[in-house]
Each structure stands twice: as structure tokens, then as C-alpha cells.
Amino acid sequence: MKWRKEVNFDELLLWEVPKICEELMPEKLLGFDEDKCPVFLSLMGKWDLIKLLQEVGSKTALLARWRNVKTYQEIMRNKLTSKGVPVTQYSVITDLEGLSVAQGTFAVLRVLSKSAQIFEANFPE
């Protein structure tokens, strides 16, 4: 709950993500699986986190990620599985085409690591 307040998670849908975040970290909704859970495509191999961090910094880059998570939650809101259970899970297909070692600077690796740690700590479901 503390982290949610720190990043204003519940209000993130009101925040306008800088266009460059969407351009340099492309993701899109592909549709839904047979249980009405959303399926997203993350084109991670095409992400340019070096440029993104230079342009907007790590705080804004991470906020853009959390806004995506909040968007995913909103897409799942009020949806029920075929068994009548609320939809609480989503799938992400990660496309690594184009990923190279050159993209893995220390700054990028720190942000990716921090993102994973925050996600695991605050989204246990």
C-alpha cells in the first residue's frame, strides 16, 4: 500500500504517458484467451531503453510501466472466466527479436531489475 501511494498507482490512468515512452517501449493488446484473460504482446527486443532513460529518466520510464499494469487491471475489471470467477490474470508474450547485448547498459539493467523487484513485491497475485 505504501508503494501504491508513493507512485499514485490508483490515479495513473489520469497521467498522460509521454509519447516517447509508448514509442520506445511498444506493447499492445492482442485479445483474450479462452478464459477471457487478456493477452498482450511486448516487443521487448525493439525497446530502446538507453534512449528512453536519456530522454525521460528512470522515474518516468518506471511510471510508464506501472501505468501499463494499471491499464491491464482496468481491462480485466468486471470480467468473469468461463467458471464465473473474476479475471485476475493476464498473459504477456515477449518478443525478443532485435535484442542485443549493446542494449544492456548498467543503467538499463538497473531499471529492469528495479522494475522486476517492484512488480514481484507489489503484485503477488
Side-chain angles (χ1 to χ4, degrees):
M1 296 307 286
K2 180 182 172 191
W3 174 81
R4 290 174 75 98
K5 278 186 178 180
E6 287 174 6
V7 299
N8 202 20
F9 185 77
D10 294 327
E11 303 299 321
L12 275 179
L13 291 180
L14 302 174
W15 177 61
E16 191 169 333
V17 178
K19 191 75 171 159
I20 194 165
C21 293
E22 295 172 355
E23 292 168 0
L24 298 179
M25 292 190 305
E27 291 187 333
K28 62 182 173 182
L29 175 65
L30 294 178
F32 298 86
D33 67 14
E34 66 277 353
D35 232 3
K36 300 180 187 167
C37 298
V39 179
F40 297 92
L41 175 62
S42 178
L43 299 169
M44 196 175 222
K46 294 180 179 31
W47 287 12
D48 189 342
L49 293 180
I50 295 171
K51 183 175 180 181
L52 184 68
L53 294 177
Q54 290 170 345
E55 296 287 328
V56 301
S58 62
K59 182 178 177 182
T60 300
L62 285 170
L63 279 176
R65 296 296 308 134
W66 306 136
R67 188 179 188 286
N68 281 351
V69 171
K70 184 66 176 167
T71 301
Y72 300 166
Q73 288 179 343
E74 287 302 309
I75 289 170
M76 293 184 294
R77 183 186 301 277
N78 299 322
K79 290 203 177 8
L80 299 175
T81 67
S82 57
K83 295 180 180 176
V85 177
V87 172
T88 59
Q89 296 181 20
Y90 58 87
S91 298
V92 178
I93 298 169
T94 304
D95 183 348
L96 298 176
E97 183 180 355
L99 187 67
S100 76
V101 175
Q103 293 168 287
T105 66
F106 286 121
V108 166
L109 295 175
R110 273 193 298 276
V111 168
L112 289 174
S113 176
K114 185 174 182 178
S115 175
Q117 289 171 353
I118 292 170
F119 187 83
E120 288 294 320
N122 294 287
F123 300 96
E125 64 277 5

